[in-house]
Amino acid sequence: MTTVTLGTGLGVLIGARITERMKTTAFMALGLVDGLLGVQMALKTEQLLIPMLSLLIGGLIGEALKLEERLNALGQRLSGGKGQFTEGFIATSLLFCVGAMTVLGALEEGLKGTFKIFALKSALDGVAAIAFASTFGWGVGLSAVTILLVQGGLTLSAGLVQPFLTPQVVAEVSATGGLILLALAVQLLDIKRMPIASFLPALLLPLFLVPLFAAFAH
């Protein structure tokens, strides 16, 4: 979390010194990177119906809760209407919190009291925060709150959640997050506006869908 906060501050300072044309090019570059990362994550699925249903049901839940409008409104207030606050927050929250390294690091710290995985992850997150914040601004810094809630929650409850965070569940959550990153890439590349925030509830659904599919398979 600390490296993300420091990286964001440094990235914002760098971003203030580059031209709008350079920022536009950076948006395109990050869009391509998001797309590649999204494909890599999405291919981890072992059952395509799970991320598909997660996005469908999660998207409907997100629309009912008006997550996109509320997150955009929060971004406008916090950023003073400058930059792409929501995109930066969602992109880096997914990048920093969805994946095997987050789960394994939390379980390692919670169960064994060591943090080798988190130490490496923190360094990687800090470098990524600099790159994203130079383009997206302070929205990247808000992802530090997501990291605190997700990683901290998993670490504190490691003994309780370990039986539920099976490799298949982690793979399907990662695949679902990858598809959301693909949607973000479509938006960053100026192809089509997507309700990215509305899809966020989808990340929780594999926790229920994976056991459900397993039960029907027997």
Side-chain angles (χ1 to χ4, degrees):
M1 188 178 76
T2 302
T3 57
V4 169
T5 303
L6 293 174
T8 299
L10 181 57
V12 170
L13 288 175
I14 294 172
R17 299 176 183 276
I18 62 177
T19 65
E20 287 302 316
R21 184 170 178 176
M22 292 170 68
K23 284 187 178 181
T24 299
T25 301
F27 278 132
M28 295 296 179
L30 292 176
L32 291 171
V33 172
D34 273 348
L36 176 60
L37 181 60
V39 170
Q40 290 177 333
M41 292 171 63
L43 290 176
K44 293 180 180 179
T45 182
E46 298 174 9
Q47 173 56 264
L48 185 59
L49 282 175
I50 292 177
M52 184 187 78
L53 288 174
S54 296
L55 285 176
L56 178 61
I57 299 170
L60 293 175
I61 293 172
E63 285 296 321
L65 296 175
K66 297 183 178 180
L67 292 182
E68 184 79 7
E69 292 90 336
R70 291 176 178 178
L71 192 54
N72 281 333
L74 174 64
Q76 289 294 316
R77 288 198 297 271
L78 294 178
S79 67
K82 297 179 181 180
Q84 291 184 278
F85 185 95
T86 301
E87 289 86 345
F89 167 67
I90 293 176
T92 49
S93 292
L94 289 172
L95 179 63
F96 299 153
C97 295
V98 177
M101 188 173 281
T102 297
V103 174
L104 293 175
L107 293 179
E108 178 193 50
E109 184 174 5
L111 298 175
K112 300 179 182 179
T114 57
F115 49 90
K116 291 180 181 178
I117 295 176
F118 270 167
L120 174 60
K121 184 178 181 298
S122 294
L124 296 173
D125 289 351
V127 173
I130 296 173
F132 277 87
S134 66
T135 303
F136 291 109
W138 289 109
V140 174
L142 190 61
S143 66
V145 177
T146 308
I147 294 172
L148 176 64
L149 293 175
V150 174
Q151 293 185 176
L154 286 175
T155 299
L156 292 174
S157 60
L160 295 174
V161 302
Q162 186 183 23
F164 303 100
L165 294 177
T166 63
Q168 187 178 6
V169 168
V170 174
E172 300 305 336
V173 170
S174 182
T176 303
L179 290 174
I180 298 175
L181 277 178
L182 276 175
L184 179 61
V186 169
Q187 182 165 301
L188 291 178
L189 294 172
D190 205 22
I191 298 173
K192 183 177 177 62
R193 182 77 183 176
M194 305 283 281
I196 309 297
S198 295
F199 289 124
L200 293 179
L203 294 169
L204 296 175
L205 294 177
L207 293 169
F208 306 98
L209 291 176
V210 169
L212 183 63
F213 272 68
F216 277 105
H218 289 300

